[in-house]
Amino acid sequence: MKHITVMLKEAVEYMAPVSGGVYLDATLGGGGHAEAILEASSPAGRLIGLDQDDTAIEEAGRRLQRFGDRVIIVRENFRHMAGVLRQLQIEKIDGILMDLGLSSFQLESEERGFSFRSPAQLDMRMDRRGQLTAADIVATASKEDLVRILRLYGEEQEAGRIAGAIIRARQEGPIGSAVDLAEIISRAVSPPRRRGRIHPATKSFQALRIAVNVELESLTEALDSGIDLLRTGGRMVAISFHSLEDRIVKQRYREWAVGCICSPRIPVCICGHQPQARLLNRKPVLPSSEEVSANPRSRSAKLRAIERL
């Protein structure tokens, strides 16, 4: 399946790339955003692309090869962006893009086990150099740990029932594939969930994927590194696809945009605290109805942007 870049026009508009600028696509994926940024910053804009997924690196490399030495691609988790730029002897950059969604390449690749329709072994590693897989969690985690993962990372209200069903199923034999786990979850949830529009395993699969890839911790580190890497006037654009990611981005952006933090009872500011950034949109930008019609996977996307002060 061809990967469709989400909110491409909006992302480039908020990044506002110019010739001579240096930009970081922290989640390169298929290279759609990176390609548009390089085109908009022609002829002298440069881009560093990061991704931990080897398939994404190969795909983006083919797509972006026409830009020659204007682009550098590195296989690395975006939480390590500061170290990558240090190695490249780049101190400050003009923009950072983070597209936090799961790519179509990953979702449609049966051997990766991201989809609950996959007959493959549960894997879910974005970086296949990592050791921990979703199969490991499902096979070895205690019921208490499974409940915690499902509630914390999937906001799954029926976590207890699902965890209990997984424990019982694995006592009878290994849970062999993603589709097997999806069936166990479907049988465990309440009847109304089974008849709903959203697959009953959606939240559980999200939770396992986040746990395997340490996604929320990586996002927090990436945001904190990113704000320090931006030069004055540089912009950070983040596109999130579920409430946990969006909450982290929103909170960080608002913290950076706050000036005085004195108590309201103090008539004159004594803290001297200065904002680090300004919000470019107070409410998230959502995909257009036309985009959602053309690409239903974009429907949950939310874009937030800041500019470094």
Side-chain angles (χ1 to χ4, degrees):
M1 179 177 179
K2 179 178 174 59
H3 178 71
I4 303 174
T5 306
V6 173
M7 298 185 77
L8 179 61
K9 176 176 174 287
E10 295 87 345
V12 175
E13 285 180 354
Y14 275 96
M15 284 282 282
V18 296
S19 180
V22 181
Y23 303 94
L24 175 70
D25 187 336
T27 50
L28 191 57
H33 286 119
E35 181 179 48
I37 292 167
L38 284 162
E39 288 173 344
S41 64
S42 180
R46 293 187 293 150
L47 181 134
I48 299 94
L50 303 184
D51 208 294
Q52 59 185 328
D53 192 312
D54 54 330
T55 303
I57 291 289
E58 292 173 10
E59 179 69 22
R62 286 191 292 270
R63 184 170 192 166
L64 302 177
Q65 62 183 351
R66 65 187 175 94
F67 295 101
D69 59 6
R70 289 180 58 203
V71 59
I72 298 172
I73 298 176
V74 180
R75 186 181 179 187
E76 187 57 272
N77 187 304
F78 68 166
R79 72 195 302 173
H80 302 305
M81 64 174 71
V84 171
L85 293 181
R86 225 174 7 252
Q87 291 177 355
L88 296 173
Q89 298 182 319
I90 298 173
E91 291 185 9
K92 296 289 183 180
I93 54 180
D94 298 281
I96 299 173
L97 175 69
M98 301 181 190
D99 176 1
L100 305 170
L102 191 67
S103 75
S104 297
F105 305 120
Q106 293 166 330
L107 195 59
E108 298 298 327
S109 177
E110 288 193 346
E111 73 271 14
R112 304 294 289 273
F114 283 108
S115 170
F116 38 74
R117 297 183 178 89
S118 171
Q121 183 71 24
L122 285 160
D123 189 321
M124 298 195 190
R125 289 173 298 167
M126 292 181 176
D127 187 341
R128 287 186 276 194
R129 296 171 296 185
Q131 298 299 311
L132 182 69
T133 68
D136 295 329
I137 295 174
V138 169
T140 64
S142 66
K143 181 178 180 180
E144 291 74 18
D145 282 342
L146 285 171
V147 169
R148 179 185 59 80
I149 289 169
L150 297 176
R151 283 182 179 161
L152 181 62
Y153 297 140
E155 300 179 298
E156 174 55 71
Q157 295 181 342
E158 297 187 68
R161 298 175 67 167
I162 293 170
I166 290 172
I167 297 294
R168 290 191 297 274
R170 77 188 191 192
Q171 288 171 347
E172 298 175 6
I175 298 173
S177 67
V179 73
D180 290 338
L181 177 61
E183 181 60 29
I184 291 166
I185 294 169
S186 296
R187 291 197 303 264
V189 300
S190 57
R193 287 276 299 278
R194 294 175 213 159
R195 298 189 295 268
R197 183 176 58 86
I198 298 174
H199 194 287
T202 299
K203 291 183 176 182
S204 297
F205 271 60
Q206 172 187 299
L208 289 169
R209 191 199 80 221
I210 290 174
V212 167
N213 297 289
V214 201
E215 291 180 36
L216 300 187
E217 294 84 352
S218 295
L219 172 58
T220 300
E221 288 186 33
L223 289 167
D224 289 343
S225 294
I227 189 66
D228 292 331
L229 293 170
L230 287 174
R231 60 169 48 99
T232 300
R235 294 185 168 192
M236 183 188 295
V237 176
I239 303 172
S240 59
F241 289 82
H242 58 75
S243 61
L244 298 173
E245 292 172 340
D246 184 58
R247 194 176 304 138
I248 291 171
V249 173
K250 179 172 66 175
Q251 288 175 349
R252 275 295 191 274
Y253 281 14
R254 286 183 175 176
E255 287 171 10
W256 296 334
V258 168
C260 173
I261 54 175
C262 293
S263 166
R265 296 191 298 271
I266 299 175
V268 179
C269 175
I270 59 172
C271 71
H273 186 269
Q274 297 294 317
Q276 293 178 275
R278 72 180 181 94
L279 301 175
L280 296 178
N281 54 323
R282 293 198 169 271
K283 291 185 177 181
V285 178
L286 306 178
S288 66
S289 56
E290 292 81 9
E291 178 171 5
V292 173
S293 296
N295 179 20
R297 288 179 181 167
S298 70
R299 65 183 179 274
S300 59
K302 292 182 178 180
L303 182 152
R304 296 183 187 272
I306 55 165
E307 182 177 275
R308 185 73 157 97
L309 297 178

